[in-house]
Amino acid sequence: MSTFKDGFLWGGAVAAHQLEGGWKEGGKGVSVADVMTAGRHGVARKITDGVVEGEYYPNHEGIDFYHRYKEDIALFAEMGFKCFRTSIAWTRIFPNGDELEPNEEGLQFYDDLFDECLKHGIEPVITLSHFEMPFHLVKEYGGWRNRKVIDFFVRFAEVCFERYQDKVKYWMTFNEINNQANFHDDFAPFTNSGIVYEEGENREPVMYQAAHYELVASAKAVAIGHVINPDLQIGCMIAMCPIYPYSCSPRDILKAQKAMQMRYYFTDVHVHGYYPKFILKYWESKGYEFDISAEDLETLVMGTVDYIGFSYYMSFAIKGHETSDGSYEYDETKDLVRNPHVEASDWGWQIDPEGLRYSLNWFQDMYHLPLFIVENGFGAIDQVEEDGSIHDPYRIDYLQAHIKEMKKAVVEDGVDLIGYTPWGCIDLVSAGTGEMKKRYGFIYVDKDNEGNGSLERSKKDSFDWYKEVIASNGENI
Ligand code: P53
């Protein structure tokens, strides 16, 4: 008997805004990703007020997948991909977000893209909102601060389900919805929710309110999707970075547990259809009152997800610092500490393959739903040799170690796993930094941080390695 079930979805993952380019083509509108400049490790990407002359916006061109997708999908097929996870750019379908009718040219682009995948026996796996809401919704409505955005998103979701139901079975609503638990930083609130904070604003309640509207929008979409076609599998998408206690000190343990609750309550709502008690108590203790209607609460129950999609790159660690009031509040920008037991990447992401097994077990124990690892990977600097070859043993090591742990979770722990799609199967623009040199791909793309390069594609050593992993259904890693 083989380890992974028949039809296990080996593949790769990307997101529209990080590779498509063609930011103004086919009637596309400006998205939040189009107004972010390039940063680097330790230097945040700048969020500009619209597209400003003289600034460099790496997502405008991406890796020009918009024009080259046929060539790229042929390479994925050569690796034996069973599935390909990408997202639909909301702005190709509804350029401003608040139109009543979709943009046919945008819809046609994804029809062609999905047909091209299916032609090669590759099943598209689709995220509806992956860090790319229309910028117009930010300017005119304040992003997800505004309840009206629920209807705009649901319209977008409905159009996509109707149109692609025969081509796409696996869907996810909001990519890494829980990143915004880190609301102290500007990045996640903007990419998740189109929120730009005002100076001195109390950020926390704004985040919870926006997340609530998203959770309602997600539930509505799930419910509608199931009516359109009961065969659709619609999941959530969670950024899983397990937070370990630094030591066995009870304060560390409790702090880690509270931090996990703050970072992962989103999953409880998606899966169970209601808010867990700890979050309600927390809001009460803060005196927060939110716009949560009785109808919203019914909606949440009606639209629980079919599976949990999640990304896994790294684990965190935390110490329970003393506070005068004994509280265990979580501030992701300040509270995390370096874990001395694991190494880190050049970007400070802690490398922890066993954390993947831990995460799979944690999700299974908490939610008892099928799981789908929709992102995992190693961002690294690659060197092109004189002869054009690219040796990336560090990437193979990383993925190999993670696949081994994933295998143990399936074989020894009985985790119900749908598939595995490593992130950035072809080099693309980093979400966090906007760089090209933070590369994840099996396929190299000739383009640098400043936007220079031929955009030509070439295979790295990891290409053949991953091909064999898939061919052997994970037996030869
Ligand atoms: P980059 C933070 C923590 C974990 C995953 O990230 C994250 C982030 C945001 O940076 O994002 C996901 O490109 C996301 C992808 C992203 C990928 O991880 O910053 O879903 O869009 O590219 C890797 O190295």
Side-chain angles (χ1 to χ4, degrees):
M1 203 187 88
S2 80
T3 308
F4 298 105
K5 58 182 172 191
D6 283 349
F8 185 80
L9 291 173
W10 294 101
V14 301
H17 68 107
Q18 289 171 261
L19 90 168
E20 282 180 6
W23 72 294
K24 276 196 198 159
E25 285 178 64
K28 183 183 170 297
V30 177
S31 82
V32 295
D34 292 322
V35 301
M36 295 179 75
T37 66
R40 57 178 189 279
H41 184 36
V43 180
R45 301 182 71 172
K46 227 177 357 182
I47 298 164
T48 57
D49 187 17
V51 174
V52 175
E53 256 305 304
E55 291 283 6
Y56 173 58
Y57 299 98
N59 299 60
H60 287 187
E61 182 189 49
I63 58 159
D64 194 34
F65 182 77
Y66 188 73
H67 297 110
R68 295 168 196 246
Y69 69 85
K70 289 191 178 164
E71 178 195 344
D72 295 339
I73 289 164
L75 286 166
F76 301 153
E78 197 183 324
M79 274 187 279
F81 278 22
K82 312 285 180 219
C83 76
F84 173 53
R85 173 180 177 238
T86 186
S87 60
I88 295 177
W90 190 344
T91 48
R92 289 203 189 281
I93 313 302
F94 290 98
N96 283 326
D98 58 359
E99 299 89 342
L100 293 176
E101 294 304 321
N103 168 36
E104 178 55 33
E105 214 177 331
L107 287 168
Q108 190 58 48
F109 169 70
Y110 290 105
D111 261 323
D112 295 344
L113 174 63
F114 300 161
D115 287 343
E116 191 65 22
C117 290
L118 294 167
K119 192 175 99 188
H120 290 283
I122 299 174
E123 179 173 342
V125 171
I126 299 302
T127 318
L128 285 166
S129 177
H130 190 135
F131 302 173
E132 55 204 340
M133 78 184 297
F135 187 62
H136 175 79
L137 296 184
V138 175
K139 293 300 285 177
E140 293 302 315
Y141 299 86
W144 282 97
R145 289 174 190 264
N146 195 325
R147 181 178 274 279
K148 289 187 187 139
V149 178
I150 297 177
D151 289 343
F152 301 145
F153 174 81
V154 173
R155 187 177 301 142
F156 163 56
E158 194 171 353
V159 164
C160 293
F161 292 145
E162 283 283 2
R163 177 87 171 211
Y164 307 121
Q165 56 176 305
D166 298 325
K167 298 178 185 177
V168 180
K169 176 178 170 192
Y170 286 98
W171 298 82
M172 279 161 272
T173 51
F174 291 95
N175 187 64
E176 296 188 333
I177 189 169
N178 63 317
N179 274 356
Q180 57 196 325
N182 188 5
F183 52 82
H184 298 279
D185 216 41
D186 292 337
F187 175 80
F190 190 64
T191 51
N192 273 152
S193 303
I195 286 178
V196 181
Y197 284 109
E198 282 152 34
E199 200 59 37
E201 188 173 14
N202 183 6
R203 294 178 167 220
E204 188 173 41
V206 175
M207 184 280 282
Y208 282 119
Q209 185 66 70
H212 173 70
Y213 293 147
E214 284 162 18
L215 290 163
V216 170
S218 172
K220 281 195 174 183
V222 171
I224 290 172
H226 286 154
V227 171
I228 291 173
N229 187 335
D231 293 337
L232 300 186
Q233 293 290 301
I234 311 171
C236 56
M237 197 314 201
I238 304 293
M240 184 48 163
C241 309
I243 308 170
Y244 299 156
Y246 186 77
S247 77
C248 52
S249 132
R251 277 200 72 85
D252 287 0
I253 305 276
L254 200 53
K255 175 80 179 190
Q257 186 176 44
K258 296 308 287 179
M260 284 294 280
Q261 290 176 340
M262 304 310 246
R263 227 189 114 84
Y264 298 102
Y265 83 90
F266 305 83
T267 329
D268 297 66
V269 185
H270 273 307
V271 173
H272 300 311
Y274 54 80
Y275 283 96
K277 291 218 172 70
F278 58 77
I279 213 79
L280 300 175
K281 284 288 177 192
Y282 179 70
W283 292 347
E284 201 183 303
S285 76
K286 291 281 195 170
Y288 294 154
E289 279 177 31
F290 295 115
D291 169 28
I292 298 179
S293 69
E295 198 188 328
D296 289 351
L297 297 177
E298 278 169 39
T299 302
L300 292 179
V301 181
M302 300 298 290
T304 55
V305 293
D306 298 314
Y307 69 97
I308 298 171
F310 71 94
S311 63
Y312 178 83
Y313 293 90
M314 60 187 146
S315 58
F316 293 161
I318 202 161
K319 279 185 185 168
H321 50 73
E322 296 292 336
T323 49
S324 51
D325 61 357
S327 80
Y328 285 94
E329 277 189 43
Y330 175 53
D331 179 345
E332 199 159 297
T333 53
K334 289 200 200 122
D335 290 347
L336 300 176
V337 293
R338 180 85 179 79
N339 179 346
H341 304 285
V342 302
E343 307 272 302
S345 79
D346 290 340
W347 280 263
W349 290 24
Q350 299 186 137
I351 304 163
D352 176 13
E354 282 161 309
L356 176 58
R357 182 178 179 185
Y358 174 83
S359 299
L360 285 160
N361 275 275
W362 187 84
F363 274 126
Q364 162 126 315
D365 294 349
M366 289 282 286
Y367 305 113
H368 311 284
L369 277 185
L371 303 173
F372 197 159
I373 302 169
V374 295
E375 290 183 29
N376 173 232
F378 189 58
I381 296 168
D382 291 327
Q383 179 72 41
V384 184
E385 305 297 333
E386 294 265 312
D387 65 354
S389 61
I390 298 142
H391 307 303
D392 56 346
Y394 38 84
R395 183 167 294 108
I396 296 174
D397 286 350
Y398 177 100
L399 294 170
Q400 192 172 52
H402 284 76
I403 294 172
K404 278 187 182 157
E405 293 301 324
M406 161 174 113
K407 218 166 155 175
K408 286 183 201 160
V410 171
V411 176
E412 296 177 35
D413 310 328
V415 165
D416 181 5
L417 189 64
I418 299 169
Y420 176 72
T421 56
W423 176 253
C425 46
I426 181 165
D427 291 346
L428 38 61
V429 176
S430 156
T433 68
E435 292 167 298
M436 269 309 293
K437 76 168 189 190
K438 190 181 185 189
R439 296 175 185 274
Y440 288 87
F442 303 113
I443 301 163
Y444 185 87
V445 176
D446 178 28
K447 179 171 173 174
D448 67 17
N449 277 357
E450 286 71 46
N452 307 307
S454 66
L455 290 167
E456 251 168 55
R457 278 63 166 149
S458 52
K459 299 173 191 171
K460 305 181 194 176
D461 286 356
S462 54
F463 184 100
D464 287 324
W465 170 80
Y466 190 49
K467 182 177 176 180
E468 178 55 27
V469 170
I470 298 178
S472 64
N473 196 22
E475 293 307 311
N476 301 338
I477 48 177

